[in-house]
Amino acid sequence: MRRFVSLFLILCLLLSLAACAASAGNGGSPAAPNAAGTAGEPVPEDGTPPDGSEEPEETEEPEPAPEPEPYLISDPTVQPEGGVRDGVTYAPWNGIVEHLFFHPVVAYPELAFDGDAQANGIDDYMVTVGEYNKILQSVYDNGYVLVDIADVWSETTGEDGQPKMVRNTLYLPEGKKPLILSFDDTNYYEYMLENGFAYKLIIGEDGKIWSWGLDPEGKEVVSRDLDAIPVLDKFVEEHPDFSPFGAKGCLSLTGYEGILGYRTATNTKEWDDAKEAARQKEREAVVPIVEELKRTGWTFGSHTWGHIRLGTPAKVSLEDIRQDTQRWMDEVGSLVGETTILFYPHGERPDGNDWQKTGPVFQYLQGQGFRVFCSVGIESFSFIKKDICAVICDRLHPDGTTLRRSRNRYLQFYDAKDIMDVDSRPEREIRWE
């Protein structure tokens, strides 16, 4: 009996050892709980849990938007303490403040000057981006520094208790001369899109203002080298002494085709909910563009909503002007903020001669908050009106017309012979004195 029991125990031991050996040959240890928490259920080689669910994929966190570089805007009417800032001596300036204005610049001359119905008009009123770059370099080399138009004059109260405008003393780096830049029709109208201009402004990946458009082959182009606004931004980055107070330029906006390339306008003849929804998206999209422009030294002025003629004989009634002004306030001013600057469309002064006469149109516009009224002329003329709180002024216009015909008048800024891209422009008469 004992022998039988002993044999039985030996047999059990041998069977146990055999089971352990088999387990070791299959991986060594008993099955552990799988991803579903159940022992003994094999996990597929691809790692998918047996219930068929998939583990969530790891997603990369989007990179945060870059922090904007600090940008300092200061007041040129305040003399630095001791007359020196950052080793630069400042001196008072009470002379003429020159004022140059541009329309949007031509990015692709081969599209602009292709012989179609728009070519001669673009040749008359625009400069190419290459010419614009040369003009900036030349005015910089000639000792000009940028100032904001809103800093040149201020509203104050006269001895009679009535509001009036006064010319401010500017404190400039010694040896420098002040220059205002303004830019009309920075709306990127439909006709421009097929004629060699940028399509709109955008915020680039670096947080700065860039232009977006299509090249002559129809390919998308994002650039800081093809539009007047980012080109000036870059120039100031490379030549910070060109803008010692942080000023850039004043953008003169209409509203009838939106602003800055965004279709923010209404159409009273044909409108529906879908069009209004699209307009609201465009308004939302342009807000960060406006904010970044204002943060970095750009300001805004009105060019009227519909680019209407304000001169005499009257092309529009006073009631039309009222409606147009209100529409500008609603559709443009609501985006860019209040402004005291009005740029006359076509350079036409209201009431015929606004510096000698203050008629009903001028009175109405002044009553809407405008204080500086800019026309176009042959010199940087300005005049503070005595009978109403307002300033009127003229601006000079670098463009194809003056490049061809007014070389001597602009020599203080640049020499047209060095600037004009004769090879790209249409073959038209050049009268250099």
Side-chain angles (χ1 to χ4, degrees):
M1 183 68 179
R2 288 182 181 176
R3 184 175 181 183
F4 175 79
V5 172
S6 299
L7 290 172
F8 178 77
L9 291 174
I10 291 170
L11 179 63
C12 289
L13 179 61
L14 290 173
L15 290 173
S16 176
L17 289 172
C20 289
S23 174
N26 288 327
S29 61
N34 61 21
T38 304
E41 292 186 10
V43 177
E45 292 181 1
D46 64 2
T48 304
D51 62 2
S53 63
E54 296 183 359
E55 294 185 4
E57 295 182 2
E58 293 185 7
T59 56
E60 293 184 4
E61 290 291 329
E63 293 186 9
E67 287 291 328
E69 296 178 4
Y71 194 87
L72 178 63
I73 298 176
S74 56
D75 188 348
T77 68
V78 177
Q79 170 76 298
E81 186 175 352
V84 177
R85 180 188 297 130
D86 298 330
V88 177
T89 300
Y90 283 70
W93 178 275
N94 289 295
I96 293 173
V97 178
E98 299 289 356
H99 188 165
L100 301 178
F101 95 92
F102 298 86
H103 287 100
V105 300
V106 174
Y108 301 105
E110 62 269 41
L111 295 180
F113 307 128
D114 58 359
D116 67 7
Q118 300 286 353
N120 284 350
I122 294 172
D123 179 56
D124 284 338
Y125 301 122
M126 276 74 163
V127 298
T128 68
V129 70
E131 292 166 342
Y132 177 69
N133 273 297
K134 291 177 182 178
I135 290 171
L136 291 181
Q137 186 64 53
S138 183
V139 295
Y140 172 75
D141 292 341
N142 280 307
Y144 287 96
V145 294
L146 299 180
V147 295
D148 182 2
I149 188 172
D151 288 330
V152 180
W153 298 276
S154 293
E155 181 175 344
T156 188
T157 302
E159 294 180 358
D160 58 359
Q162 297 300 310
K164 67 175 185 177
M165 297 297 288
V166 295
R167 165 65 193 279
N168 296 323
T169 297
L170 304 176
Y171 294 92
L172 308 179
E174 200 167 43
K176 299 297 183 179
K177 300 168 287 187
L179 175 66
I180 298 167
L181 294 181
S182 55
F183 299 80
D184 282 9
D185 300 301
T186 47
N187 301 80
Y188 306 82
Y189 300 132
E190 292 287 351
Y191 86 87
M192 294 179 177
L193 306 189
E194 59 186 21
N195 280 287
F197 296 83
Y199 280 46
K200 61 179 167 181
L201 299 179
I202 64 170
I203 300 288
E205 293 181 355
D206 57 0
K208 298 178 181 179
I209 298 292
W210 292 61
S211 69
W212 181 92
L214 301 180
D215 69 10
E217 286 73 46
K219 298 177 182 177
E220 293 187 23
V221 178
V222 176
S223 176
R224 297 185 77 204
D225 300 312
L226 295 174
D227 182 86
I229 293 169
V231 165
L232 182 57
D233 282 342
K234 278 186 63 177
F235 192 88
V236 170
E237 289 170 13
E238 295 163 2
H239 307 83
D241 56 330
F242 186 45
S243 183
F245 312 104
K248 297 286 182 54
C250 189
L251 304 181
S252 167
L253 298 175
T254 62
Y256 67 94
E257 286 191 13
I259 66 170
L260 306 178
Y262 296 80
R263 302 310 173 205
T264 57
T266 55
N267 182 332
T268 56
K269 295 181 180 179
E270 182 183 353
W271 207 246
D272 56 34
D273 290 344
K275 288 184 173 63
E276 180 60 23
R279 185 179 84 94
Q280 291 301 329
K281 287 184 179 179
E282 292 286 280
R283 285 177 61 87
E284 292 172 6
V286 81
V287 166
I289 313 296
V290 171
E291 290 177 347
E292 179 62 12
L293 287 167
K294 293 172 78 170
R295 188 187 74 84
T296 54
W298 295 92
T299 58
F300 295 92
S302 172
H303 203 35
T304 76
W305 185 88
H307 206 270
I308 59 175
R309 294 183 177 273
L310 301 172
T312 53
K315 307 298 190 298
V316 292
S317 68
L318 180 56
E319 180 56 32
D320 289 336
I321 293 171
R322 288 194 180 101
Q323 292 180 10
D324 180 275
T325 303
Q326 187 58 54
R327 201 164 179 184
W328 192 94
M329 301 290 188
D330 292 343
E331 295 187 12
V332 182
S334 61
L335 291 168
V336 303
E338 296 181 357
T339 181
T340 60
I341 316 297
L342 178 64
F343 298 93
Y344 294 151
H346 311 283
E348 292 185 356
R349 298 184 180 282
D351 310 309
N353 190 344
D354 61 2
W355 67 282
Q356 291 180 335
K357 181 181 179 182
T358 304
V361 172
F362 193 96
Q363 291 179 39
Y364 167 74
L365 293 169
Q366 193 271 354
Q368 298 306 298
F370 297 113
R371 294 294 182 268
V372 180
F373 297 78
C374 301
S375 186
V376 180
I378 61 173
E379 61 181 351
S380 301
F381 157 86
S382 65
F383 176 76
I384 296 176
K385 290 177 71 69
K386 302 297 190 293
D387 60 336
I388 194 169
C389 183
V391 175
I392 60 170
C393 55
D394 277 355
R395 311 174 281 166
L396 291 163
H397 51 114
D399 53 27
T401 300
T402 57
L403 284 175
R404 293 178 183 278
R405 303 177 184 177
S406 305
R407 173 173 172 258
N408 286 347
R409 192 184 305 155
Y410 286 78
L411 285 175
Q412 61 184 311
F413 307 108
Y414 54 81
D415 189 335
K417 290 183 177 181
D418 300 328
I419 300 299
M420 187 173 176
D421 185 355
V422 177
D423 293 334
S424 295
R425 287 182 174 272
E427 294 184 8
R428 302 169 75 190
E429 182 185 12
I430 296 175
R431 297 203 301 262
W432 284 332
E433 300 91 340

